[in-house]
Amino acid sequence: MYAWDFQFLWNYRYLFAEGMGVTIGFTIAVVILGIVVGLITGLMMLSRFRLLRFVAAAYVELFRCTPLLVQLIWFYYALPILSGIQLSGVSAGLIALSLYGGAFYAEIIRGGVVSIDVGQSEAGMALGMTPYQIMKKIVLPQALKRMAPPMLNQSIIQLKNTSLISIIAVPDLLYQGQIIAHDSYKPLEVYTAIALAYLAILFPLTALARYGEKKLSTRD
Amino acid sequence: MAIEPKIEVSGLRKSFGPLHVLRDINLTVEPGGVVALIGPSGSGKSTLLRCLNLLVTPDRGSIRIGENRFSFGPGTSPLSKYKLAGFRANTGMVFQHFNLFPHLSVIGNITEAPMTVRRMPKAQAEALAMELLTKVGLPDKARDFPSRLSGGQKQRVAIARALAMQPEVMLFDEATSALDPELVGEVLAVMRSLAHDGMTMVIVTHEMAFAREVADKVIFMRDGVIVEEGPANLVIDEPQNPATRAFLAHFHRKDSA
């Protein structure tokens, strides 16, 4: 029987904390950037102009239908050959994860907007509001409420996705874990602790998403 | 010289694909006039109403409301969204399903457009909203959300919301059709008082008794054309056209049943 020993991990607490900080900071950055990209793309998908719709749909399918790991490696190893600019691991990770997340957020935002009854836009039009005013004051505020639970779910997935950036040497939680495992020769305890650390961050968030969904379904 | 009509529609046509919904509609409404559009479903009466504030863009013809005039068809340029919005701000519309904004309170529903479109200061918009809520009999509901109101109350808020833009004309698209029978009266009462105040109104309705009482003119439509029009009591009590007679017989039967 394997004798578990978590005691030694205390010696690596600073590495853990650093990795945790990078993971959380990175997640916040790619969630915000992803939502910005997703909002722009989602609104493009709803545009009257065919070209905008086409560009947005092409981007979404490109990033939805290729693995994130491939995208990360492509931005880190392949793009420099094409452009002559070597991106740092952090930049490549930020770009790939934001664009990947943006494709999914775009679908959520588009779906949220089309789920709002067309009568709401008609009421806004009948009152003399412009399409921009209707989107900003009438449709988006209602759509955002419906989008919140799936957006939170996608953000939870984004946090887990950040573990992939360890392969391009960004010192996130998993990357630090690998260093600790190599250093201590105790991969079982280290990776178990890492898994529990992700669980500790995400479980409250999934509970929040479930609560939000329930609250939304009992209203309106 | 005669008074210039408030609403003037001429040669209006609209098709959805192969379906001709409106074929050459001509219509005038005097200032302060109340016109009731009646007819079977699919007759084009709702489409005509929605053309009056350009929620539906006509294929041909022209529409004038007050000072604003638009023509449609070959040789006319498409309307900019600002021109469209400006035109619609001048006409109030009340929908069958109310279409209140569920994320805004009652007073928020009413003040939104005056503040956004007319740049009215908030205090002034709220004072106007309270005045209108009093007019429709709901001053105590200002801070409630639409989900807490009955259908009749929702529709009265929707009327107040449309009036807040101080439109020249009001359009009612089956405003009482989605209501429980016992709630119809309160909405009709508000519409009646609007008519008495001299508002120019076009009403799509199935309430024949109300049309006869409030409307100056009744227009019976079928298959996208105006079949019969005239003073309300004449068209409803003594229809000349067999189609009008057949349609109205349905209501008399229902009344006596």
Side-chain angles (χ1 to χ4, degrees):
Chain A
M1 178 72 190
Y2 185 83
W4 291 82
D5 168 27
F6 284 102
Q7 284 267 298
F8 78 96
L9 286 173
W10 184 245
N11 302 328
Y12 296 102
R13 60 190 179 279
Y14 294 115
L15 277 182
F16 256 111
E18 246 174 65
M20 185 80 105
V22 169
T23 290
I24 290 174
F26 212 86
T27 303
I28 292 170
V30 297
V31 164
I32 291 171
L33 287 172
I35 288 174
V36 171
V37 171
L39 187 62
I40 294 166
T41 313
L43 294 179
M44 279 168 71
M45 291 168 97
L46 296 163
S47 165
R48 289 184 296 131
F49 301 106
R50 185 195 284 261
L51 181 69
L52 287 183
R53 289 203 306 269
F54 176 80
V55 169
Y59 151 70
V60 167
E61 292 311 324
L62 185 65
F63 279 85
R64 231 167 34 155
C65 301
T66 51
L68 176 56
L69 188 54
V70 174
Q71 293 166 21
L72 268 174
I73 292 172
W74 194 88
F75 277 103
Y76 191 61
Y77 293 107
L79 186 65
I81 300 169
L82 208 62
S83 65
I85 305 160
Q86 176 62 58
L87 293 175
S88 68
V90 171
S91 310
L94 277 178
I95 293 173
L97 270 163
S98 301
L99 290 178
Y100 178 80
F104 287 90
Y105 289 126
E107 271 297 324
I108 293 170
I109 288 164
R110 189 196 64 82
V113 168
V114 299
S115 80
I116 301 300
D117 176 32
V118 65
Q120 291 289 307
S121 299
E122 285 187 347
M125 282 192 266
L127 288 165
M129 298 172 83
T130 62
Y132 171 77
Q133 289 168 340
I134 292 168
M135 185 55 77
K136 185 177 152 202
K137 302 277 194 163
I138 308 299
V139 176
L140 271 188
Q142 295 180 56
L144 282 173
K145 225 158 73 183
R146 287 189 200 176
M147 293 171 202
M151 296 278 260
L152 188 54
N153 277 325
Q154 188 58 40
S155 303
I156 287 166
I157 294 170
Q158 283 293 78
L159 189 142
K160 293 192 288 182
N161 282 341
T162 60
S163 64
L164 291 172
I165 59 178
S166 60
I167 63 139
I168 51 174
V170 179
D172 75 328
L173 187 56
L174 181 58
Y175 183 88
Q176 302 290 21
Q178 286 164 347
I179 290 181
I180 299 167
H182 285 240
D183 193 56
S184 64
Y185 300 105
K186 289 202 160 96
L188 182 56
E189 283 87 348
V190 173
Y191 290 127
T192 305
I194 300 271
L196 289 175
Y198 279 109
L199 183 72
I201 308 171
L202 288 181
F203 183 69
L205 288 179
T206 58
L208 183 67
R210 221 179 1 254
Y211 173 76
E213 262 164 29
K214 214 165 100 186
K215 218 175 146 195
L216 276 179
S217 67
T218 53
R219 257 215 314 247
D220 44 68
Chain B
M1 209 179 101
I3 317 163
E4 183 169 68
K6 181 66 97 180
I7 302 176
E8 218 175 340
V9 172
S10 64
L12 206 68
R13 289 168 190 274
K14 178 68 187 177
S15 311
F16 294 115
L19 191 69
H20 299 289
V21 187
L22 297 176
R23 319 161 186 245
D24 194 24
I25 299 286
N26 298 286
L27 165 73
T28 56
V29 186
E30 309 303 317
V34 177
V35 168
L37 295 176
I38 62 171
S41 56
S43 60
K45 56 193 194 304
S46 276
T47 305
L48 173 56
L49 195 74
R50 291 161 69 86
C51 279
L52 289 180
N53 70 352
L54 304 182
L55 279 184
V56 171
T57 310
D59 298 332
R60 291 281 178 96
S62 71
I63 295 176
R64 182 180 62 76
I65 292 185
E67 310 272 286
N68 298 307
R69 183 195 186 92
F70 289 117
S71 295
F72 307 90
T76 60
S77 50
L79 301 171
S80 82
K81 54 188 171 189
Y82 299 105
K83 272 199 166 159
L84 267 178
F87 179 79
R88 290 181 184 134
N90 215 20
T91 63
M93 182 165 223
V94 176
F95 298 88
Q96 181 177 1
H97 296 286
F98 330 127
N99 300 6
L100 291 180
F101 306 132
H103 63 300
L104 298 176
S105 65
V106 163
I107 198 163
N109 266 273
I110 301 172
T111 57
E112 181 64 68
M115 286 167 61
T116 308
V117 178
R118 299 246 195 259
R119 307 267 164 230
M120 193 184 279
K122 187 171 183 185
Q124 194 188 336
E126 295 204 329
L128 172 64
M130 286 313 299
E131 192 186 306
L132 291 169
L133 277 175
T134 308
K135 188 171 181 158
V136 301
L138 295 168
D140 51 326
K141 300 287 184 192
R143 302 288 158 192
D144 283 1
F145 278 80
S147 56
R148 310 209 13 149
L149 304 180
S150 72
Q153 292 171 333
K154 282 180 189 168
Q155 196 60 300
R156 288 190 278 158
V157 171
I159 293 171
R161 177 177 71 174
L163 289 173
M165 290 300 286
Q166 292 158 321
E168 285 191 70
V169 305
M170 284 285 282
L171 311 173
F172 292 85
D173 190 4
E174 301 199 23
T176 58
S177 297
L179 296 176
D180 291 337
E182 76 271 22
L183 301 177
V184 168
E186 61 190 68
V187 173
L188 292 183
V190 170
M191 291 167 67
R192 191 177 291 124
S193 86
L194 265 181
H196 283 306
D197 291 350
M199 176 62 79
T200 308
M201 294 163 58
V202 181
I203 302 168
V204 170
T205 187
H206 292 297
E207 300 286 338
M208 291 308 146
F210 179 74
R212 182 168 40 194
E213 176 203 331
V214 176
D216 312 306
K217 182 155 81 172
V218 167
I219 293 178
F220 174 71
M221 285 181 71
R222 204 182 69 163
D223 298 330
V225 294
I226 294 177
V227 174
E228 184 165 355
E229 63 176 294
N233 51 346
L234 278 185
V235 173
I236 290 176
D237 295 337
E238 296 161 48
Q240 301 302 308
N241 190 291
T244 318
R245 230 174 282 150
F247 175 72
L248 287 168
H250 176 70
F251 286 90
H252 296 317
R253 235 191 352 260
K254 231 170 44 179
D255 288 346
S256 58

